Amino acid sequence: MSRLVEYITRSRVWRSFFRHGWPDNPLDRSLVMTTNIFFHLHPVKVNRNSLKATYSLGLGVISVIAFLELSITGLLLMFNYVPTVERAYGYIVTLQTQVPFGQLLRNMHRWGAHLMVIVVVLHMARVFYTGAYKPPREFNWVVGVVLLILTLGASFTGYLLPWDQLAFWAITVGTSVAAYEPLMGSTIKAFLLGGPEVGQEALTRFYALHIMLIPAAMALLISLHLWRVRKDGGLAANELKEEGEA
Ligand code: HEM
């Protein structure tokens, strides 16, 4: 048995999957981190302060998970949804009453969106509270601000898609509020609505923004954000002094 295990773990196929030996020495331990797409986001050596669950509360990671969950459930919702004023609401009713697990799918997407907004705001508060916006992390803070705006944008554009009374009036009020922005208010409103009031043009634009433009920009910026975390030396706590150090 042990010879079989040895044969498998020495085979070329095995070595192409796991490019390190058993992590019982410093070299293999560092290879475990650097050869894994998820682990390599961590620096090879980390300060134990940054590993405390109470430090980051995992809020950044939960934001990533929420984004992935929303992408998957959103993709499934797209299998039937049609962004026309005649059919959009009917689809929501059919989904909730006739499609197996339809209501669950819709709720996962809706509640997931609410959760993501809350978690991203809390993550930003945590970063601020721990002073992690300071050099060299200013650029990543700015990327984070854009991600926050995109998260809110995804939430706002998704709100219109069910095309029920709540959606219609919320977007009517929301875009009217946007029009009061002093410099570009009326341009923003015209860009979003594509006409004088909330109608088919607005639904088409909100749909394009919601399913393509905003998620694509977020996927790109989240990748940049995570890469920067790594390049800035991992979490800011890595620069704190270990307990007992002078
Ligand atoms: C879609 C939204 C976001 C996602 C998915 C995201 C994801 C992450 C992840 C996974 C980390 C590393 C682990 C952690 O700190 O929990 C992180 C760190 C960081 N994030 Fe975000 N983030 C988002 C929004 C923001 C916002 C709104 C800001 C601030 C304006 C921000 C600023 C930062 C900074 C400065 C760090 C480094 C923290 C440190 O060194 O302690 N992020 N982010």
Side-chain angles (χ1 to χ4, degrees), residues 56-199:
S56 74
L57 304 170
L59 293 165
V61 175
I62 299 174
S63 308
V64 176
I65 294 171
F67 177 73
L68 295 177
E69 185 265 334
L70 288 165
S71 305
I72 294 166
T73 50
L75 198 79
L76 293 175
L77 288 170
M78 280 172 65
F79 273 52
N80 288 37
Y81 180 81
V82 186
T84 62
V85 294
E86 293 84 21
R87 295 182 61 186
Y89 180 66
Y91 159 75
I92 297 295
V93 175
T94 312
L95 178 77
Q96 300 222 134
T97 54
Q98 291 173 33
V99 177
F101 302 107
Q103 183 147 18
L104 176 70
L105 183 64
R106 184 180 179 207
N107 281 341
M108 280 177 74
H109 197 72
R110 206 177 172 93
W111 286 99
H114 296 326
L115 179 85
M116 180 161 176
V117 171
I118 295 169
V119 172
V120 170
V121 171
L122 289 177
H123 168 62
M124 183 174 177
R126 188 291 287 173
V127 169
F128 182 75
Y129 176 68
T130 54
Y133 54 84
K134 292 179 197 162
R137 296 180 176 77
E138 313 96 308
F139 175 70
N140 223 10
W141 172 266
V142 175
V143 174
V145 172
V146 180
L147 277 172
L148 175 69
I149 294 168
L150 287 172
T151 306
L152 297 176
S155 197
F156 184 65
T157 49
Y159 215 78
L160 183 64
L161 305 187
W163 201 252
D164 52 11
Q165 285 292 315
L166 183 64
F168 182 86
W169 291 110
I171 302 307
T172 302
V173 172
T175 48
S176 302
V177 171
Y180 283 100
E181 197 279 325
L183 294 176
M184 298 180 57
S186 49
T187 316
I188 294 172
K189 184 177 177 184
F191 168 75
L192 286 174
L193 295 189
E197 56 190 29
V198 179

